[in-house]
């Protein structure tokens, strides 16, 4: 298993929790940087010899307003789009040749926010984009043997909640992990295209 992330400290700590280098190899990578992705894929192929499953899970959320009513300053919006949209797009381009050779599986993290309209939310728009991206990749992969799954979680307890949502019901990260493993564990001829997973009681429009 290879773990990637931008911050080496948390990355190494997670790899250690999962059993160390023999079970989890930490490799720093910014998924919005094409050269870093190419180097990552080269290292994985050189170390493990093949790619079977890739989970494009990088992303971050921040409040925004197109009317200027607070939230993330527009000068910082580039990072949100680069991570949430460009990141999975570049990841797919970097790994799909290898996944085609192995008949592998590409998973992308979308969000329930990519199924509803949230006023002023650039984050929601990026997750709509991930839904379209997954559909486009799946269509291009017809006949290759590659499976493509879009995971769309609701609010997940993976860090500080956005203002006004601290008391909302939340998924545990392990709930999302089980959904991922369900998709990955299906027979090779079965493609679980989308999984929507919400905590019980989540507002259907949030």
């Amino acid at each position: 298993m290879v773990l990637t992330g931008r911050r080496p400290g948390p990355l190494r700590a997670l790899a250690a929790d999962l059993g160390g280098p023999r079970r989890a190899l930490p490799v720093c990578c910014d998924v919005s940087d094409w050269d870093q992705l190419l180097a990552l894929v080269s290292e994985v192929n050189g170390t493990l010899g093949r790619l079977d499953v890739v989970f494009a899970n990088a992303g971050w959320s921040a409040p925004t307003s197109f009317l200027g009513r607070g939230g993330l300053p527009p000068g910082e919006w580039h990072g949100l789009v680069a991570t949430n949209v460009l990141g999975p797009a570049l990841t797919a381009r970097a790994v799909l040749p290898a996944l085609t050779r192995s008949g592998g599986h590409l998973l992308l993290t979308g969000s329930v926010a990519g199924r509803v309209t949230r006023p002023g939310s650039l984050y929601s728009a990026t997750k709509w984009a991930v839904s379209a991206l997954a559909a486009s990749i799946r269509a291009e992969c017809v006949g290759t043997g590659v499976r493509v799954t879009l995971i769309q979680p609701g609010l997940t307890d993976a860090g500080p909640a956005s203002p006004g949502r601290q008391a909302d019901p939340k998924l545990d990260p392990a709930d999302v992990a089980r959904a991922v493993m369900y998709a990955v564990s299906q027979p090779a001829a079965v493609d679980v295209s989308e999984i929507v997973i919400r905590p019980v009681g989540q507002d259907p429009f949030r």
Side-chain angles (χ1 to χ4, degrees):
M1 176 192 305
V2 176
L3 303 174
T4 67
R6 288 183 293 186
R7 295 181 295 163
L11 194 60
R12 286 195 293 266
L14 178 57
D17 289 344
L18 293 173
R22 292 185 178 181
R23 292 181 57 87
L25 176 66
V27 180
C28 283
C29 179
D30 180 344
V31 295
S32 66
D33 186 305
W34 176 242
D35 290 335
Q36 289 188 38
L37 276 169
L38 287 181
L40 169 65
V41 173
S42 177
E43 182 170 352
V44 172
N45 281 327
T47 304
L48 302 180
R50 59 185 285 158
L51 274 174
D52 293 299
V53 177
V54 174
F55 186 19
N57 186 48
W60 61 290
S61 175
T64 54
S65 168
F66 296 106
L67 289 174
R69 295 172 176 170
L72 188 70
E76 299 178 26
W77 288 7
H78 178 273
L80 184 65
V81 176
T83 300
N84 292 4
V85 182
L86 182 61
L90 291 179
T91 298
R93 176 60 183 84
V95 304
L96 277 170
L99 291 180
T100 299
R101 291 192 292 273
S102 66
H105 197 153
L106 175 66
L107 301 100
L108 300 97
T109 296
S111 172
V112 166
R115 301 174 62 90
V116 299
T117 299
R118 290 186 176 176
S121 176
L122 180 58
Y123 170 77
S124 176
T126 66
K127 290 305 182 178
W128 277 92
V130 173
S131 297
L133 179 64
S136 180
I137 293 168
R138 188 180 301 112
E140 188 176 9
C141 286
V142 169
T144 66
V146 173
R147 298 185 290 177
V148 180
T149 300
L150 175 66
I151 306 291
Q152 296 180 294
L155 187 61
T156 304
D157 190 12
S162 57
R165 304 205 68 186
Q166 289 85 353
D168 287 2
K170 301 176 184 66
L171 295 168
D172 187 275
D175 301 327
V176 181
R178 282 191 296 271
V180 170
M181 294 309 299
Y182 169 79
V184 170
S185 65
Q186 297 306 302
V190 176
D191 187 358
V192 180
S193 297
E194 297 186 17
I195 296 179
V196 179
I197 173 172
R198 290 182 172 97
V200 172
Q202 178 171 332
D203 185 328
F205 298 104
R206 299 193 72 180

